[in-house]
Amino acid sequence: MTNQISASGTGRAALRAFVALVLSALCGLSALFGVSGANAQDVDLLINVDNRETVSLDGDWRTIVDPYEVGYYDYRWHPSQWGFFRDDTQRDKSQLIEYSFDRSPQLKVPGDWNTQRDDLYYYEGTVWYRKKFDFTKRSDERVFLYFGAANYDARVYLNGEQLGRHIGGFTPFDFEVTDKLQDGENSVVVKVDNKRYQDAVPTINTDWWNYGGLTRRVMLVRTPRTYVRDYMIQLDPRDPGKIKGWVQVAGDEPSRLVTVSIPDTGISTTVKTDDEGRANVVVDAPGLELWTPEHPRLYDVLIETAGHALIDQIGFRTITTKGHQILLNGEPVFLRGVCIHEEAPLRTGRACTVEDARTSLGWAKDMNGNFVRLAHYCHQEQMLREADREGILVWAEVPVYWTISWDNKDTYENARRQLGEMVTRDRNRACVILWSVANETPNSDARMKFLTGLIDTCRTLDPTRLVTAALEKSYQGDSTVVINDPLGDHLDVIGCNEYIGWYDGMPDKPARVRWQSTLDKPVIFSEFGGGALYGLHADDRTRWTEEFQADIYRNQVEMFREIDFLAGTCPWILMDFRSPRRTLPDIQDGWNRKGLISERGEKKEAFGIMRAFYGEKLREQE
Ligand code: GCU
C-alpha cells in the first residue's frame, strides 16, 4: 500500500492534520534543543561550570527594594526597554534621579533576601541588585554571565542593556556577554521579582517559604571561541558494556573532531560534529567500576576538541525496573530515603553552599539512608555533586505542585523549560535515578495532557533514567488503600504520598490498613510522617509531642513490612522548614514541624526509628 496523501476533501483535512503534526513536532524538538527559533533559554544551557574557567560575582551587591516596580514601569505602567534603575555613575548635579545604588544597602549573593533583613522576611515583590566589577577582555574567548538560580522572575542588564529574562526560581540560566563587556569597570543589574501567581510554576499555593532573590551563585564563565557546551556521557541501559551519549560543540566552528576519553581506563573515541555542532557518542566500555552507594566510583572524563579540553567527574551505572523492583546495575535495591527541602541546616534560609549540602546529606547517611528526594524543585548543583561523591541516590523534581494552571499554554512551556534546564544540568550525575514531573496534582484531562507532555519531554532529554511523580492514595472500603491514579500508567516508578496516622486517622491506623497496587511497577512512599516540636514530651496521644510522632513512625514501619511491592520509603521530612501555612503559636511559629530533625540540628525520637528500620534493610541487602 502506498502512503500517498491524497488531495481530496477528506484527504485535504488529513494532509492539513499531518502537516500540522510534523510542524508541531519540529517546533517541539527545535524548542527543546535550542535549535534556531527556540527561546534562548530552552535548554540551551552551559553545563559543568565547576570545571570551567570562571570569575565569581558572589559577595555584596547593592540593592533597592522596589514594591511598586518604579524601576521598570513608568507612571502609566508602561514597561521600559532598559529599566530605569540603571547605573548611577556620571550624574550631573542638576539631574532628577530618585534612586542611588551607591547609597543603598547591600545583600549577600548567593542568598535569599528574606533571612538577611528583618524588613524583607515576608517580602514578595521586586528587589533590584547591582554589582560592579572590573574585567579585562581577551580576543580569543567567549564570556557568559551565569546564574545558578534567581527566584522567581529575573531581568538581567549589563552596562545598561537588557540581556534577557528568566522565569523559574530553581534552575540555572546564562547569557552570552562576549561583545557586551567592556575593558575596565562593568555593571550588572538584575531585577528579581518573587511575587506568586496562579499561572506560575509553582502556582500561588505551596507549603514552603517563598525565598526571593539571587539565591544561588553568579559568575562569568570564560570559554574558547569554539567550545564544548553540552554533552551526555552515560552507560547505555540496554547495553551496559557501552557508553552511549552525545556531545554539543558551539561557537565559531561547530563542525569539528571531538575526543571523549576516560584516561584511567584507556577508553577513548573520536567523533565529528555536524554543522549544528552535535555528534553521537557510542564506545565500548569494558571493565568500568560501576557507581553504587557503597562504592561511588567517579571517573575523570575528558571531552576535548582543538583549543578546548573540558573535564567532568562522571559515575557509570544503570537504573532500570523489573516488576515491583528497582534495579541498580541489574541488582534489586531498596531506596532508604528521606525528603529534603532546600532549607539551610542550622542557619536556615535558602540553602546555597556546599556545606549546606554536606550537612543535609550527612544527616541522611546518619539515618542509614542511601536515597534522598530533593523536594519540590531543582536543588543547587552542589547537592548533586556531593550526592555523586557520597553515593546517595537522588529523586529530582520540578515544582509542578498541587493546583497548577493545567489549561495554560504558558504555564506548560514554563514547566517544560524548567524540566529541560534541570535535566540538562544534571543528566551526567550518576546519583540522579528518578526525574519527577509532579507532586500531589488533582486528576483531570488537562492535568493528564500537561503531565504526559512533561513525561515525553523527560524521556526525550534523558532516555537513561526513570520517570516518576508523587501521587495520592485512595481507599476501597475503610481499610484497603490503592494507588489508582491514571498517571501511573505513564510512569516507570510510582511515588505515593500518604499521611496515615497524621492527616488520616491516629498514629495506630497504619498498622490496620492493607495496600493494593494495580500496577506491576515499583512503588515508593514518597512522603509520610507527622509533626513534632523538638523537646516537647508527653504521652503518645498528645499531638505535636515527639512521642506522638514516634508512634506514627513505629506503626508506619510495621505497615511497610506487610507490603511486598514497596521499593522504597521517603519520610517527610529530614528537617523542619519554614512555611507561612504553619502558624500555630509556640509549636509551629511559621515552621512545618514534620522534620525528623529540628532546624537547629536536634534529632527527634522518630529519627531513631527510621535509622533502625533502614539499618535492618541495609543488613538484608548485605
Ligand atoms: C504534602 C506536600 C508537602 C507538604 C506536606 C505537609 O504532602 O507534598 O509539600 O509540606 O504534605 O503537609 O507537610
Side-chain angles (χ1 to χ4, degrees), residues 25-303:
L26 286 174
C27 286
L29 280 177
S30 68
L32 265 182
F33 293 108
V35 177
S36 59
N39 176 317
Q41 281 141 23
D42 255 356
V43 198
D44 187 8
L45 184 67
L46 207 55
I47 69 165
N48 186 15
V49 292
D50 289 294
N51 285 298
R52 295 180 190 265
E53 184 183 355
T54 59
V55 178
S56 174
L57 297 181
D58 291 348
D60 292 326
W61 288 52
R62 291 285 174 184
T63 55
I64 299 172
V65 181
D66 182 13
Y68 292 1
E69 298 184 85
V70 297
Y72 185 66
Y73 296 99
D74 66 17
Y75 72 108
R76 294 200 187 286
W77 205 245
H78 294 149
S80 75
Q81 293 311 309
W82 56 83
F84 294 111
F85 281 6
R86 306 171 76 182
D87 211 344
D88 50 3
T89 47
Q90 293 94 29
R91 287 184 166 193
D92 179 277
K93 61 185 178 183
S94 63
Q95 269 184 290
L96 166 59
I97 293 180
E98 295 177 275
Y99 70 91
S100 165
F101 277 114
D102 285 339
R103 300 214 296 269
S104 296
Q106 300 189 117
L107 285 173
K108 292 283 183 209
V109 171
D112 63 274
W113 62 58
N114 312 72
T115 56
Q116 290 192 58
R117 281 176 35 191
D118 292 346
D119 60 325
L120 298 179
Y121 186 62
Y122 283 100
Y123 181 66
E124 295 185 302
T126 286
V127 172
W128 291 83
Y129 287 78
R130 189 214 61 198
K131 182 78 173 180
K132 285 185 174 179
F133 61 93
D134 290 329
F135 193 77
T136 305
K137 298 170 65 169
R138 300 191 294 234
S139 61
D140 61 346
E141 69 173 355
R142 288 176 183 270
V143 189
F144 298 83
L145 179 55
Y146 177 94
F147 295 81
N151 188 40
Y152 171 79
D153 178 349
R155 290 182 186 275
V156 182
Y157 307 81
L158 180 64
N159 300 326
E161 178 185 349
Q162 181 166 219
L163 300 177
R165 181 185 190 188
H166 182 269
I167 291 177
F170 304 98
T171 47
F173 55 100
D174 63 67
F175 302 100
E176 184 165 1
V177 293
T178 310
D179 301 328
K180 302 176 188 316
L181 285 166
Q182 46 206 28
D183 273 321
E185 186 176 82
N186 293 267
S187 166
V188 60
V189 169
V190 188
K191 176 187 185 290
V192 183
D193 177 0
N194 76 329
K195 285 196 293 296
R196 290 168 292 115
Y197 300 95
Q198 172 52 43
D199 293 344
V201 180
T203 183
I204 199 164
N205 178 27
T206 72
D207 187 22
W208 67 82
W209 206 270
N210 179 28
Y211 288 125
L214 292 177
T215 48
R216 297 199 188 136
R217 51 191 181 165
V218 182
M219 63 187 79
L220 295 169
V221 184
R222 310 180 83 151
T223 73
R225 292 294 307 173
T226 298
Y227 61 101
V228 176
R229 183 163 182 84
D230 193 359
Y231 49 86
M232 181 164 187
I233 309 292
Q234 292 281 286
L235 283 185
D236 180 348
R238 281 163 295 284
D239 182 354
K242 278 187 173 28
I243 284 174
K244 185 175 183 184
W246 47 268
V247 292
Q248 179 68 57
V249 169
D252 297 352
E253 302 158 15
S255 176
R256 50 172 46 211
L257 294 178
V258 178
T259 298
V260 177
S261 63
I262 308 177
D264 284 2
T265 67
I267 294 169
S268 178
T269 184
T270 298
V271 293
K272 176 83 162 40
T273 55
D274 62 20
D275 293 344
E276 298 287 321
R278 193 171 184 97
N280 290 327
V281 170
V282 179
V283 60
D284 286 337
L288 284 173
E289 293 173 56
L290 298 182
W291 186 96
T292 66
E294 297 74 27
H295 182 58
R297 176 71 158 92
L298 297 178
Y299 285 91
D300 282 347
V301 176
L302 264 177
I303 302 130

Side-chain angles (χ1 to χ4, degrees), residues 299-521:
Y299 285 91
D300 282 347
V301 176
L302 264 177
I303 302 130
E304 296 173 279
T305 186
H308 190 204
L310 182 62
I311 194 168
D312 201 349
Q313 294 72 36
I314 298 179
F316 294 98
R317 54 107 192 92
T318 62
I319 192 76
T320 54
T321 64
K322 184 181 176 190
H324 293 133
Q325 293 181 321
I326 293 174
L327 305 181
L328 178 65
N329 301 321
E331 296 298 322
V333 61
F334 185 86
L335 301 180
R336 310 190 303 273
V338 65
C339 295
I340 296 179
H341 250 306
E342 208 169 38
E343 184 81 53
L346 311 175
R347 82 161 187 281
T348 80
R350 181 63 73 225
C352 59
T353 67
V354 68
E355 293 74 23
D356 293 337
R358 286 180 182 145
T359 302
S360 296
L361 295 174
W363 287 344
K365 290 193 105 169
D366 288 352
M367 201 191 294
N368 289 319
N370 65 355
F371 174 61
V372 291
R373 175 187 173 194
L374 300 184
H376 281 296
Y377 35 74
C378 176
H379 284 219
Q380 61 161 326
E381 185 169 5
Q382 301 302 349
M383 193 64 149
L384 284 305
R385 289 284 184 181
E386 282 306 299
D388 253 8
R389 286 190 273 267
E390 291 297 321
I392 294 180
L393 299 157
V394 168
W395 157 318
E397 67 185 73
V398 285
V400 177
Y401 178 96
W402 290 356
T403 52
I404 291 281
S405 296
W406 306 112
D407 287 310
N408 183 310
K409 187 180 65 62
D410 293 339
T411 305
Y412 174 71
E413 285 307 316
N414 182 349
R416 196 180 58 83
R417 193 189 56 252
Q418 290 190 45
L419 176 65
E421 289 164 347
M422 176 175 76
V423 174
T424 299
R425 189 193 74 182
D426 296 333
R427 60 187 156 198
N428 290 298
R429 303 280 73 80
C431 62
V432 181
I433 56 169
L434 290 158
W435 300 119
S436 175
V437 296
N439 179 74
E440 295 188 352
T441 51
N443 190 28
S444 68
D445 291 346
R447 171 254 196 181
M448 283 295 284
K449 183 167 181 282
F450 191 108
L451 294 183
T452 50
L454 291 189
I455 291 167
D456 294 346
T457 299
C458 220
R459 294 199 167 116
T460 302
L461 288 169
D462 176 8
T464 72
R465 287 177 175 83
L466 304 172
V467 181
T468 188
L471 309 178
E472 294 179 288
K473 70 181 191 325
S474 51
Y475 278 97
Q476 281 174 356
D478 61 6
S479 63
T480 301
V481 193
V482 294
I483 310 161
N484 54 12
D485 185 322
L487 190 68
D489 294 331
H490 302 269
L491 301 173
D492 299 310
V493 173
I494 309 296
C496 178
N497 293 356
E498 52 89 4
Y499 282 92
I500 303 173
W502 178 256
Y503 293 123
D504 169 3
M506 295 307 281
D508 61 350
K509 182 171 180 181
R512 298 201 311 274
V513 300
R514 290 291 167 269
W515 283 79
Q516 276 179 8
S517 173
T518 55
L519 294 166
D520 186 25
K521 296 181 178 181

